Amino acid sequence: QVQLVQSGAEVKKPGASVNVSCKASGYNLIAYYIHWVRQAPGQGLEWIGWMNPNTGTTNYAQNFQDRVAMTRDPTINTAHLELSSLTFRDSALYFCARANWRGPADAWGQGTQLTVSS
Amino acid sequence: EIVLTQSPGSLSLSPGERATLSCRASQSVSRYLAWYQQKPGQAPRLLIYGASSRTTGTPDRLSGSGSGTDFTLTITSVEPGDFAVYYCQQYAISPPTFGQGTKVDIK
């Protein structure tokens, strides 16, 4: 069955960078877009951006444009999110999700907890 | 960007009651509207896409309706597994955006 399995929880200091991975199984990574969404404690869902794993094309939300990078390694069916210049406000649960072009997210990773703490 | 406003913010119901959740878009999204359910500690789960199409596994007591700017998710008879937070999302126009959520809890 389709699964997205994310890397484990991270604790980072302010100003650092974090890399979160998302490994797809049950389908070919390049067949669907990968979206990244985050959720701060007790808050709603915030879209970070998407990547087309087939071409590497990305589209980032304006709030993250200057410090986010989405990449992929199709040989291991894995997508990556790198977020730099972390602040306390980046503490959140980060999800990857797959979607068709202009479609809803029909499968989600389990989430990766990021804590930014000095 | 398109703003989605969900109402009410929370809904307290007894099992067996009807739930009506609203999602209003700041501009037309045609029928490019999805509904997700999220339970504590879990990822969101896609329930409805295209405003009214159920995913496999979504029970038929849940239904979506609407087009343009006004959408509704209805649960005809709430069951214990339905107590959760529900989010709408538009995917018509980039960036995709989510509503702030409606929490359905037990009265």
Side-chain angles (χ1 to χ4, degrees), chain B residues 11-88:
Chain B
L11 203 48
S12 291
L13 296 169
S14 300
E17 289 192 299
R18 182 184 187 92
T20 303
L21 286 65
S22 173
C23 176
R24 177 164 288 179
S26 59
Q27 65 186 81
S28 176
V29 298
S30 184
R31 294 180 63 82
Y32 294 99
L33 194 286
W35 290 95
Y36 300 86
Q37 177 193 69
Q38 188 179 34
K39 296 182 178 179
Q42 296 184 16
R45 178 171 80 101
L46 178 65
L47 299 173
I48 302 280
Y49 63 95
S52 62
S53 296
R54 292 185 199 89
T55 59
T56 303
T58 299
D60 57 10
R61 66 177 183 279
L62 276 71
S63 63
S65 63
S67 66
T69 60
D70 288 298
F71 300 87
T72 301
L73 176 68
T74 301
I75 309 174
T76 52
S77 176
V78 172
E79 294 191 1
D82 298 331
F83 294 104
V85 179
Y86 292 83
Y87 293 95
C88 58

Side-chain angles (χ1 to χ4, degrees), chain A residues 39 43 47 59 95 102 105 108-109, chain B residues 36 38 43-44 87 91-92 94-95:
Chain A
Q39 187 170 38
Q43 302 300 306
W47 181 76
N59 181 16
F95 295 103
R102 212 184 188 193
W108 293 68
Chain B
Y36 300 86
Q38 188 179 34
Y87 293 95
Y91 48 94
S94 187

Side-chain angles (χ1 to χ4, degrees), chain A residues 93-104:
Chain A
L93 190 57
Y94 287 74
F95 295 103
C96 62
R98 78 164 198 181
N100 280 308
W101 160 243
R102 212 184 188 193

Side-chain angles (χ1 to χ4, degrees), chain A residues 18-34:
Chain A
V18 68
N19 192 306
V20 180
S21 67
C22 172
K23 183 173 177 60
S25 62
Y27 80 99
N28 193 333
L29 180 74
I30 66 172
Y32 289 81
Y33 284 59
I34 290 289

